[in-house]
Amino acid sequence: QDARDAVWRHLQVSLDDNTAERTTVGIGLVAMEQRERRDGVPTRQLAPDPGSDTMLLTVDGGRVHAGGEWREVKVAAAGPLGPDKAVDPDTGRAHLLTGPLHYAADITDADHLCTTKLC
């Protein structure tokens, strides 16, 4: 929706959902390629699915000084939860272990961060 609103605001052109999504994904791929060329470091690929059907997703926020003002930054972590378990030696309680976690941070709202940076 943000992309559709921006195109309308700047060009007065309406985009359907499919066109907006294809264009946004395409621009993201171009940006990743440019960053890889600039930094000389390939974008990290997600680890193979470990077989867990449960996903851990956690989001938190904090304040940062950016652009001359205080803004809220959101930080998220996502990864598979289980099926392996561990027992806490202090309490004796079992809990699911996480697989490889992926992190993202941005000055945005939590929903936007999780849908654009972790999916």
Side-chain angles (χ1 to χ4, degrees):
Q1 185 63 43
D2 289 343
R4 291 175 67 194
D5 291 345
V7 169
W8 176 255
R9 187 172 48 254
H10 295 290
L11 304 173
Q12 283 73 50
V13 174
S14 292
L15 297 179
D16 62 78
D17 289 339
N18 290 334
T19 302
E21 182 177 1
R22 278 194 330 270
T23 303
T24 302
V25 169
I27 290 169
L29 292 173
V30 169
M32 282 176 31
E33 289 172 4
Q34 288 176 347
R35 193 190 86 205
E36 287 175 3
R37 280 196 303 273
R38 181 191 71 220
D39 298 342
V41 178
T43 302
R44 181 180 53 148
Q45 297 297 313
L46 296 178
D49 182 0
S52 175
D53 60 357
T54 304
M55 177 70 82
L56 168 73
L57 176 62
T58 182
V59 180
D60 202 351
R63 306 289 278 169
V64 296
H65 197 263
E69 63 183 347
W70 286 98
R71 312 240 344 245
E72 185 166 9
V73 63
K74 295 293 184 184
V75 180
L81 185 61
D84 296 328
K85 295 180 182 179
V87 176
D88 184 318
D90 296 329
T91 65
R93 294 180 61 188
H95 61 272
L96 295 173
L97 294 173
T98 62
L101 293 176
H102 303 278
Y103 301 92
D106 203 349
I107 298 174
T108 186
D109 62 79
D111 289 337
H112 187 258
L113 176 70
C114 293
T115 58
T116 60
K117 304 290 184 181
L118 293 173
C119 294

PDB file of all heavy atoms in Angstrom, residues 35 44 46 57 74-76 78 102-119:
ATOM      1  N   ARG A  35      23.875  -3.301  -3.631  1.00  0.00           N
ATOM      2  CA  ARG A  35      24.572  -3.337  -2.349  1.00  0.00           C
ATOM      3  C   ARG A  35      25.660  -4.396  -2.356  1.00  0.00           C
ATOM      4  O   ARG A  35      26.759  -4.187  -1.855  1.00  0.00           O
ATOM      5  CB  ARG A  35      23.594  -3.599  -1.201  1.00  0.00           C
ATOM      6  CG  ARG A  35      24.254  -3.327   0.154  1.00  0.00           C
ATOM      7  CD  ARG A  35      23.435  -3.792   1.294  1.00  0.00           C
ATOM      8  NE  ARG A  35      23.780  -5.199   1.478  1.00  0.00           N
ATOM      9  CZ  ARG A  35      23.009  -6.094   2.036  1.00  0.00           C
ATOM     10  NH1 ARG A  35      21.837  -5.773   2.479  1.00  0.00           N
ATOM     11  NH2 ARG A  35      23.396  -7.336   2.171  1.00  0.00           N
ATOM     12  N   ARG A  44      23.091 -12.514   2.523  1.00  0.00           N
ATOM     13  CA  ARG A  44      23.005 -13.812   3.191  1.00  0.00           C
ATOM     14  C   ARG A  44      21.696 -14.502   2.821  1.00  0.00           C
ATOM     15  O   ARG A  44      20.631 -13.912   2.892  1.00  0.00           O
ATOM     16  CB  ARG A  44      23.061 -13.606   4.701  1.00  0.00           C
ATOM     17  CG  ARG A  44      23.015 -14.887   5.489  1.00  0.00           C
ATOM     18  CD  ARG A  44      23.074 -14.592   6.948  1.00  0.00           C
ATOM     19  NE  ARG A  44      22.029 -13.632   7.269  1.00  0.00           N
ATOM     20  CZ  ARG A  44      21.394 -13.584   8.416  1.00  0.00           C
ATOM     21  NH1 ARG A  44      21.711 -14.406   9.353  1.00  0.00           N
ATOM     22  NH2 ARG A  44      20.465 -12.684   8.635  1.00  0.00           N
ATOM     23  N   LEU A  46      18.779 -17.361   3.424  1.00  0.00           N
ATOM     24  CA  LEU A  46      18.185 -18.012   4.588  1.00  0.00           C
ATOM     25  C   LEU A  46      18.637 -19.464   4.658  1.00  0.00           C
ATOM     26  O   LEU A  46      18.846 -20.119   3.640  1.00  0.00           O
ATOM     27  CB  LEU A  46      16.653 -17.960   4.506  1.00  0.00           C
ATOM     28  CG  LEU A  46      16.037 -16.573   4.553  1.00  0.00           C
ATOM     29  CD1 LEU A  46      14.525 -16.681   4.419  1.00  0.00           C
ATOM     30  CD2 LEU A  46      16.401 -15.849   5.831  1.00  0.00           C
ATOM     31  N   LEU A  57       8.807 -15.365  16.353  1.00  0.00           N
ATOM     32  CA  LEU A  57       8.929 -13.999  15.838  1.00  0.00           C
ATOM     33  C   LEU A  57       8.800 -13.064  17.024  1.00  0.00           C
ATOM     34  O   LEU A  57       7.813 -13.108  17.753  1.00  0.00           O
ATOM     35  CB  LEU A  57       7.838 -13.693  14.816  1.00  0.00           C
ATOM     36  CG  LEU A  57       7.801 -12.266  14.278  1.00  0.00           C
ATOM     37  CD1 LEU A  57       9.090 -11.943  13.546  1.00  0.00           C
ATOM     38  CD2 LEU A  57       6.607 -12.078  13.368  1.00  0.00           C
ATOM     39  N   LYS A  74      12.583  -0.257  15.304  1.00  0.00           N
ATOM     40  CA  LYS A  74      12.065  -1.589  15.615  1.00  0.00           C
ATOM     41  C   LYS A  74      13.135  -2.610  15.264  1.00  0.00           C
ATOM     42  O   LYS A  74      13.797  -2.508  14.235  1.00  0.00           O
ATOM     43  CB  LYS A  74      10.797  -1.896  14.806  1.00  0.00           C
ATOM     44  CG  LYS A  74       9.630  -1.015  15.156  1.00  0.00           C
ATOM     45  CD  LYS A  74       9.148  -1.281  16.554  1.00  0.00           C
ATOM     46  CE  LYS A  74       7.907  -0.444  16.830  1.00  0.00           C
ATOM     47  NZ  LYS A  74       7.440  -0.581  18.179  1.00  0.00           N
ATOM     48  N   VAL A  75      13.294  -3.588  16.120  1.00  0.00           N
ATOM     49  CA  VAL A  75      14.242  -4.683  15.924  1.00  0.00           C
ATOM     50  C   VAL A  75      13.450  -5.983  16.007  1.00  0.00           C
ATOM     51  O   VAL A  75      12.637  -6.155  16.921  1.00  0.00           O
ATOM     52  CB  VAL A  75      15.356  -4.671  16.993  1.00  0.00           C
ATOM     53  CG1 VAL A  75      16.325  -5.819  16.775  1.00  0.00           C
ATOM     54  CG2 VAL A  75      16.076  -3.335  16.992  1.00  0.00           C
ATOM     55  N   ALA A  76      13.664  -6.883  15.053  1.00  0.00           N
ATOM     56  CA  ALA A  76      12.927  -8.140  15.018  1.00  0.00           C
ATOM     57  C   ALA A  76      13.886  -9.307  14.860  1.00  0.00           C
ATOM     58  O   ALA A  76      14.968  -9.170  14.294  1.00  0.00           O
ATOM     59  CB  ALA A  76      11.927  -8.141  13.868  1.00  0.00           C
ATOM     60  N   ALA A  78      13.528 -13.615  13.871  1.00  0.00           N
ATOM     61  CA  ALA A  78      12.627 -14.672  13.431  1.00  0.00           C
ATOM     62  C   ALA A  78      13.438 -15.925  13.139  1.00  0.00           C
ATOM     63  O   ALA A  78      14.575 -15.852  12.682  1.00  0.00           O
ATOM     64  CB  ALA A  78      11.859 -14.245  12.188  1.00  0.00           C
ATOM     65  N   HIS A 102      17.191 -14.956  12.303  1.00  0.00           N
ATOM     66  CA  HIS A 102      17.466 -13.889  11.352  1.00  0.00           C
ATOM     67  C   HIS A 102      16.984 -12.593  11.981  1.00  0.00           C
ATOM     68  O   HIS A 102      15.911 -12.551  12.579  1.00  0.00           O
ATOM     69  CB  HIS A 102      16.758 -14.163  10.023  1.00  0.00           C
ATOM     70  CG  HIS A 102      17.158 -15.473   9.440  1.00  0.00           C
ATOM     71  ND1 HIS A 102      18.308 -15.629   8.710  1.00  0.00           N
ATOM     72  CD2 HIS A 102      16.599 -16.697   9.526  1.00  0.00           C
ATOM     73  CE1 HIS A 102      18.422 -16.893   8.355  1.00  0.00           C
ATOM     74  NE2 HIS A 102      17.400 -17.555   8.831  1.00  0.00           N
ATOM     75  N   TYR A 103      17.785 -11.551  11.866  1.00  0.00           N
ATOM     76  CA  TYR A 103      17.499 -10.288  12.527  1.00  0.00           C
ATOM     77  C   TYR A 103      17.288  -9.184  11.505  1.00  0.00           C
ATOM     78  O   TYR A 103      17.866  -9.196  10.424  1.00  0.00           O
ATOM     79  CB  TYR A 103      18.661  -9.900  13.450  1.00  0.00           C
ATOM     80  CG  TYR A 103      18.935 -10.930  14.512  1.00  0.00           C
ATOM     81  CD1 TYR A 103      19.860 -11.943  14.303  1.00  0.00           C
ATOM     82  CD2 TYR A 103      18.255 -10.893  15.717  1.00  0.00           C
ATOM     83  CE1 TYR A 103      20.100 -12.904  15.269  1.00  0.00           C
ATOM     84  CE2 TYR A 103      18.495 -11.851  16.693  1.00  0.00           C
ATOM     85  CZ  TYR A 103      19.416 -12.847  16.463  1.00  0.00           C
ATOM     86  OH  TYR A 103      19.648 -13.789  17.428  1.00  0.00           O
ATOM     87  N   ALA A 104      16.462  -8.206  11.873  1.00  0.00           N
ATOM     88  CA  ALA A 104      16.239  -7.027  11.040  1.00  0.00           C
ATOM     89  C   ALA A 104      15.974  -5.845  11.958  1.00  0.00           C
ATOM     90  O   ALA A 104      15.454  -6.013  13.064  1.00  0.00           O
ATOM     91  CB  ALA A 104      15.047  -7.244  10.110  1.00  0.00           C
ATOM     92  N   ALA A 105      16.347  -4.662  11.510  1.00  0.00           N
ATOM     93  CA  ALA A 105      16.073  -3.439  12.263  1.00  0.00           C
ATOM     94  C   ALA A 105      15.802  -2.319  11.267  1.00  0.00           C
ATOM     95  O   ALA A 105      16.387  -2.271  10.185  1.00  0.00           O
ATOM     96  CB  ALA A 105      17.259  -3.075  13.147  1.00  0.00           C
ATOM     97  N   ASP A 106      14.885  -1.439  11.644  1.00  0.00           N
ATOM     98  CA  ASP A 106      14.569  -0.316  10.769  1.00  0.00           C
ATOM     99  C   ASP A 106      13.787   0.714  11.568  1.00  0.00           C
ATOM    100  O   ASP A 106      13.198   0.394  12.603  1.00  0.00           O
ATOM    101  CB  ASP A 106      13.727  -0.782   9.583  1.00  0.00           C
ATOM    102  CG  ASP A 106      13.820   0.139   8.377  1.00  0.00           C
ATOM    103  OD1 ASP A 106      14.370   1.254   8.511  1.00  0.00           O
ATOM    104  OD2 ASP A 106      13.343  -0.255   7.307  1.00  0.00           O
ATOM    105  N   ILE A 107      13.786   1.940  11.071  1.00  0.00           N
ATOM    106  CA  ILE A 107      12.965   2.982  11.673  1.00  0.00           C
ATOM    107  C   ILE A 107      11.624   2.914  10.960  1.00  0.00           C
ATOM    108  O   ILE A 107      11.418   3.533   9.916  1.00  0.00           O
ATOM    109  CB  ILE A 107      13.626   4.366  11.547  1.00  0.00           C
ATOM    110  CG1 ILE A 107      14.957   4.370  12.298  1.00  0.00           C
ATOM    111  CG2 ILE A 107      12.701   5.449  12.069  1.00  0.00           C
ATOM    112  CD1 ILE A 107      15.767   5.634  12.137  1.00  0.00           C
ATOM    113  N   THR A 108      10.718   2.101  11.488  1.00  0.00           N
ATOM    114  CA  THR A 108       9.414   1.855  10.872  1.00  0.00           C
ATOM    115  C   THR A 108       8.513   1.232  11.922  1.00  0.00           C
ATOM    116  O   THR A 108       8.935   0.992  13.057  1.00  0.00           O
ATOM    117  CB  THR A 108       9.570   0.931   9.642  1.00  0.00           C
ATOM    118  OG1 THR A 108       8.313   0.824   8.973  1.00  0.00           O
ATOM    119  CG2 THR A 108      10.047  -0.454  10.026  1.00  0.00           C
ATOM    120  N   ASP A 109       7.282   0.916  11.552  1.00  0.00           N
ATOM    121  CA  ASP A 109       6.401   0.236  12.493  1.00  0.00           C
ATOM    122  C   ASP A 109       6.653  -1.271  12.437  1.00  0.00           C
ATOM    123  O   ASP A 109       7.241  -1.790  11.493  1.00  0.00           O
ATOM    124  CB  ASP A 109       4.930   0.564  12.212  1.00  0.00           C
ATOM    125  CG  ASP A 109       4.494   0.113  10.843  1.00  0.00           C
ATOM    126  OD1 ASP A 109       4.223  -1.089  10.671  1.00  0.00           O
ATOM    127  OD2 ASP A 109       4.431   0.962   9.938  1.00  0.00           O
ATOM    128  N   ALA A 110       6.209  -1.973  13.461  1.00  0.00           N
ATOM    129  CA  ALA A 110       6.504  -3.402  13.599  1.00  0.00           C
ATOM    130  C   ALA A 110       5.938  -4.222  12.440  1.00  0.00           C
ATOM    131  O   ALA A 110       6.602  -5.119  11.930  1.00  0.00           O
ATOM    132  CB  ALA A 110       5.967  -3.920  14.930  1.00  0.00           C
ATOM    133  N   ASP A 111       4.712  -3.942  12.012  1.00  0.00           N
ATOM    134  CA  ASP A 111       4.108  -4.714  10.922  1.00  0.00           C
ATOM    135  C   ASP A 111       4.920  -4.580   9.637  1.00  0.00           C
ATOM    136  O   ASP A 111       5.182  -5.563   8.956  1.00  0.00           O
ATOM    137  CB  ASP A 111       2.668  -4.260  10.667  1.00  0.00           C
ATOM    138  CG  ASP A 111       1.719  -4.669  11.776  1.00  0.00           C
ATOM    139  OD1 ASP A 111       2.039  -5.637  12.500  1.00  0.00           O
ATOM    140  OD2 ASP A 111       0.682  -4.020  11.922  1.00  0.00           O
ATOM    141  N   HIS A 112       5.321  -3.367   9.306  1.00  0.00           N
ATOM    142  CA  HIS A 112       6.108  -3.142   8.087  1.00  0.00           C
ATOM    143  C   HIS A 112       7.454  -3.840   8.180  1.00  0.00           C
ATOM    144  O   HIS A 112       7.917  -4.458   7.226  1.00  0.00           O
ATOM    145  CB  HIS A 112       6.277  -1.644   7.862  1.00  0.00           C
ATOM    146  CG  HIS A 112       6.928  -1.322   6.561  1.00  0.00           C
ATOM    147  ND1 HIS A 112       8.242  -0.979   6.464  1.00  0.00           N
ATOM    148  CD2 HIS A 112       6.450  -1.326   5.294  1.00  0.00           C
ATOM    149  CE1 HIS A 112       8.554  -0.764   5.201  1.00  0.00           C
ATOM    150  NE2 HIS A 112       7.493  -0.967   4.487  1.00  0.00           N
ATOM    151  N   LEU A 113       8.091  -3.771   9.335  1.00  0.00           N
ATOM    152  CA  LEU A 113       9.387  -4.412   9.521  1.00  0.00           C
ATOM    153  C   LEU A 113       9.267  -5.915   9.297  1.00  0.00           C
ATOM    154  O   LEU A 113      10.070  -6.498   8.573  1.00  0.00           O
ATOM    155  CB  LEU A 113       9.936  -4.139  10.919  1.00  0.00           C
ATOM    156  CG  LEU A 113      11.238  -4.840  11.273  1.00  0.00           C
ATOM    157  CD1 LEU A 113      12.392  -4.247  10.485  1.00  0.00           C
ATOM    158  CD2 LEU A 113      11.503  -4.742  12.754  1.00  0.00           C
ATOM    159  N   CYS A 114       8.286  -6.533   9.903  1.00  0.00           N
ATOM    160  CA  CYS A 114       8.171  -7.991   9.826  1.00  0.00           C
ATOM    161  C   CYS A 114       7.790  -8.467   8.435  1.00  0.00           C
ATOM    162  O   CYS A 114       8.246  -9.505   7.994  1.00  0.00           O
ATOM    163  CB  CYS A 114       7.148  -8.491  10.848  1.00  0.00           C
ATOM    164  SG  CYS A 114       7.729  -8.241  12.536  1.00  0.00           S
ATOM    165  N   THR A 115       6.973  -7.703   7.725  1.00  0.00           N
ATOM    166  CA  THR A 115       6.558  -8.150   6.403  1.00  0.00           C
ATOM    167  C   THR A 115       7.573  -7.837   5.330  1.00  0.00           C
ATOM    168  O   THR A 115       7.622  -8.512   4.314  1.00  0.00           O
ATOM    169  CB  THR A 115       5.191  -7.552   6.005  1.00  0.00           C
ATOM    170  OG1 THR A 115       5.272  -6.128   6.045  1.00  0.00           O
ATOM    171  CG2 THR A 115       4.101  -8.040   6.930  1.00  0.00           C
ATOM    172  N   THR A 116       8.408  -6.814   5.526  1.00  0.00           N
ATOM    173  CA  THR A 116       9.360  -6.462   4.464  1.00  0.00           C
ATOM    174  C   THR A 116      10.770  -6.956   4.723  1.00  0.00           C
ATOM    175  O   THR A 116      11.507  -7.189   3.788  1.00  0.00           O
ATOM    176  CB  THR A 116       9.432  -4.939   4.269  1.00  0.00           C
ATOM    177  OG1 THR A 116       9.858  -4.323   5.481  1.00  0.00           O
ATOM    178  CG2 THR A 116       8.088  -4.386   3.829  1.00  0.00           C
ATOM    179  N   LYS A 117      11.162  -7.120   5.963  1.00  0.00           N
ATOM    180  CA  LYS A 117      12.548  -7.472   6.275  1.00  0.00           C
ATOM    181  C   LYS A 117      12.730  -8.950   6.607  1.00  0.00           C
ATOM    182  O   LYS A 117      13.810  -9.480   6.487  1.00  0.00           O
ATOM    183  CB  LYS A 117      13.067  -6.658   7.458  1.00  0.00           C
ATOM    184  CG  LYS A 117      12.973  -5.159   7.273  1.00  0.00           C
ATOM    185  CD  LYS A 117      13.937  -4.665   6.244  1.00  0.00           C
ATOM    186  CE  LYS A 117      13.853  -3.153   6.171  1.00  0.00           C
ATOM    187  NZ  LYS A 117      14.718  -2.593   5.206  1.00  0.00           N
ATOM    188  N   LEU A 118      11.670  -9.608   7.077  1.00  0.00           N
ATOM    189  CA  LEU A 118      11.824 -10.995   7.522  1.00  0.00           C
ATOM    190  C   LEU A 118      11.091 -11.991   6.660  1.00  0.00           C
ATOM    191  O   LEU A 118      11.228 -13.172   6.852  1.00  0.00           O
ATOM    192  CB  LEU A 118      11.344 -11.126   8.974  1.00  0.00           C
ATOM    193  CG  LEU A 118      12.203 -10.396   9.994  1.00  0.00           C
ATOM    194  CD1 LEU A 118      11.554 -10.447  11.357  1.00  0.00           C
ATOM    195  CD2 LEU A 118      13.594 -10.988  10.055  1.00  0.00           C
ATOM    196  N   CYS A 119      10.274 -11.546   5.761  1.00  0.00           N
ATOM    197  CA  CYS A 119       9.516 -12.484   4.929  1.00  0.00           C
ATOM    198  C   CYS A 119      10.080 -12.528   3.532  1.00  0.00           C
ATOM    199  O   CYS A 119      10.703 -11.658   3.074  1.00  0.00           O
ATOM    200  CB  CYS A 119       8.062 -12.071   4.880  1.00  0.00           C
ATOM    201  SG  CYS A 119       7.268 -12.201   6.482  1.00  0.00           S
TER     202      CYS A 119
END
